[in-house]
Amino acid sequence: MARQWSGGHSTSILCVGASPGPEGLLASGSEGGEVTVWSQEGTILGRLTLPGEEDSTSVVFSPAAPVQLYVSHGDTVSVLDPRNLKGHVQEFHGAGEEEINALALNETGSALAVADDSGAVRILELPGGKVCRTLRRHTNICSSVAFRPHRPNNLVSAGLDMQVMLWGLQKTRPLWTLNLQDVAEEEDGHQQRPGQLFNPPLVHCVSVTSCGNILGCAAEDGRVHLMRIGSGSKLEQQGAVKAHSQGASQAHFVSFLSHPYWLVTGGNDGQVALWDLSKHPVVAPEGKAKTRATGPQRRKGKSKEKRREQIQDKAKTPTKGEAEKEETEMEGEAAAAGAPKVTDKKPGPKLSISHGDKVNWLWPAVLKGEPSVVVADQSCSLTVYPLSQL
């Protein structure tokens, strides 16, 4: 049975996060700079409206110190004490060059990655908040970042330029770049379906498995694009799962189920789904297939408004018939140039939930011992779905 957590916000909730551990707290951020901290039962423990009342776009608990909560709003990151939300403990003004979209912390809590509208990714040293590295290779909005577990100097970034990049933080150029538009165009050329409308694979969310070797990217084409990283941090194979009939807004690997390859997704079609990817060809390949990643493109000088207009012009929603045709024809995605096509022989989610509203953010969490997923949508309430029926 789904549960509603209400009363914590007066505006649409944009982001959710949970602190690690069996008794961990949850936090949510919404439009207008609202931040709410919740108990595992859904009791409101604290509420705060951040200075400036800019949208709270990302909330992240420190894995090393659960009493530290990082919240992005505008170009600023505020550090809060979730046990006492009377004001910020610390503020990093200008942490982003433009509005921040996503935050990520490494496992030791010593580095904070900040992704913003300019396409830049800044790395802040903690606890001081000093910018120690700026990564500038995205040619459009950088929407999501994630550190690789067990590799605190490896960072994944993805954006609305349809590019996924793996960085070694010792350098300011990526180890590799995969352009999902090139992958899609190559596959579409083989399929030869003239006149069919496709949403471009603008990436909204990136997640890494707890073992650190599989990446999942939720994209506007409704797919979750998968990548396997091999030895030497090389990109070994790429594929995809057709997850949603409209844009996929969220994808998060679940660390607390039977293996690290469970993935929960949410989309603009109002669906929430749980996938077992342990047998997907990218995760469990039969042979050592290689995929080709390219060097980054040169940065194009475009204003923020022009970038947003470009994104809106590109994003086309297929008709219901086209979406159904695409779903049946393209369960598996071709790997990048030179690699064999990978197809999931048993497509379909293990659990599908008709949430009914566009998903802004979701977060898998164990709440009072029960595997669950917390969903934020266009409303000012959270919805909690149990995953215990698996």
Side-chain angles (χ1 to χ4, degrees):
M1 291 288 293
R3 304 191 303 276
Q4 289 282 330
W5 290 5
S6 302
H9 293 274
S10 62
T11 54
S12 178
I13 301 175
L14 303 177
C15 54
V16 184
S19 63
E23 299 300 322
L25 303 176
L26 287 89
S28 53
S30 69
E31 295 174 352
E34 294 181 352
V35 180
T36 301
V37 173
W38 309 80
S39 73
Q40 294 201 355
E41 294 89 358
T43 304
I44 298 169
L45 302 179
R47 293 182 62 188
L48 175 69
T49 299
L50 294 165
E53 298 187 5
E54 295 175 289
D55 294 352
S56 301
T57 53
S58 186
V59 291
V60 182
F61 285 89
S62 170
V67 295
Q68 291 178 344
L69 172 64
Y70 295 83
V71 182
S72 59
H73 51 110
D75 65 357
T76 300
V77 175
S78 289
V79 187
L80 309 177
D81 183 344
R83 303 164 303 175
N84 182 18
L85 278 190
K86 292 185 177 178
H88 61 262
V89 177
Q90 204 172 6
E91 240 182 358
F92 306 143
H93 290 287
E97 295 182 359
E98 294 183 13
E99 183 179 3
I100 298 168
N101 298 306
L103 303 174
L105 281 159
N106 66 357
E107 288 177 305
T108 61
S110 61
L112 176 70
V114 176
D116 69 25
D117 274 3
S118 75
V121 179
R122 282 181 166 177
I123 309 300
L124 278 59
E125 292 178 342
L126 298 177
K130 178 184 176 182
V131 177
C132 63
R133 190 77 72 192
T134 301
L135 312 174
R136 304 180 191 277
R137 291 302 172 103
H138 284 286
T139 59
N140 210 316
I141 292 168
C142 185
S143 53
S144 188
V145 282
F147 282 94
R148 287 182 71 195
H150 315 299
R151 298 162 185 84
N153 287 318
N154 267 197
L155 179 77
V156 184
S157 66
L160 303 193
D161 58 357
M162 297 170 275
Q163 297 192 90
V164 182
M165 303 181 188
L166 178 67
W167 304 84
L169 296 184
Q170 296 87 349
K171 299 181 179 180
T172 56
R173 56 185 174 82
L175 298 172
W176 53 258
T177 299
L178 184 67
N179 190 318
L180 296 182
Q181 185 177 32
D182 292 345
V183 173
E185 286 176 353
E186 182 183 344
E187 174 65 7
D188 295 344
H190 292 318
Q191 295 289 332
Q192 294 182 343
R193 295 188 300 277
Q196 188 170 0
L197 294 176
F198 292 98
N199 286 340
L202 316 171
V203 183
H204 299 299
C205 179
V206 63
S207 181
V208 189
T209 55
S210 58
C211 61
N213 294 331
I214 303 294
L215 312 181
C217 299
E220 187 64 28
D221 59 2
R223 298 180 181 90
V224 175
H225 295 264
L226 302 173
M227 281 139 265
R228 187 176 77 250
I229 304 175
S231 60
S233 296
K234 292 180 180 179
L235 177 59
E236 282 194 345
Q237 195 163 351
Q238 186 271 344
V241 173
K242 176 61 185 174
H244 294 273
S245 61
Q246 297 180 35
S249 56
Q250 289 281 290
H252 295 275
F253 284 103
V254 185
S255 62
F256 48 77
L257 294 179
S258 56
H259 56 70
Y261 307 115
W262 288 96
L263 181 80
V264 62
T265 66
N268 297 342
D269 56 1
Q271 297 293 311
V272 174
L274 182 69
W275 308 79
D276 180 356
L277 300 181
S278 59
K279 293 182 174 59
H280 191 281
V282 170
V283 176
E286 293 180 6
K288 284 271 186 178
K290 298 290 183 181
T291 189
R292 188 173 70 199
T294 64
Q297 299 174 347
R298 187 173 297 174
R299 182 178 174 83
K300 300 173 185 175
K302 290 179 181 169
S303 70
K304 181 177 177 180
E305 195 58 38
K306 284 183 179 178
R307 287 198 303 274
R308 292 195 184 280
E309 289 173 1
Q310 180 189 51
I311 293 159
Q312 290 169 359
D313 290 342
K314 280 186 175 180
K316 298 177 181 178
T317 303
T319 65
K320 182 178 179 182
E322 289 166 345
E324 289 174 350
K325 181 180 179 183
E326 183 180 354
E327 186 163 359
T328 56
E329 290 179 349
M330 302 185 71
E331 284 290 348
E333 187 68 64
K341 182 178 179 181
V342 291
T343 305
D344 191 346
K345 295 176 182 177
K346 294 182 180 180
K350 297 299 181 183
L351 181 64
S352 185
I353 300 166
S354 182
H355 179 68
D357 200 358
K358 176 183 174 183
V359 175
N360 282 343
W361 205 287
L362 53 77
W363 195 261
V366 178
L367 303 178
K368 304 306 291 183
E370 182 176 47
S372 307
V373 59
V374 183
V375 180
D377 54 30
Q378 308 294 290
S379 73
C380 52
S381 299
L382 293 171
T383 307
V384 178
Y385 294 103
L387 302 178
S388 53
Q389 51 198 298
L390 287 173

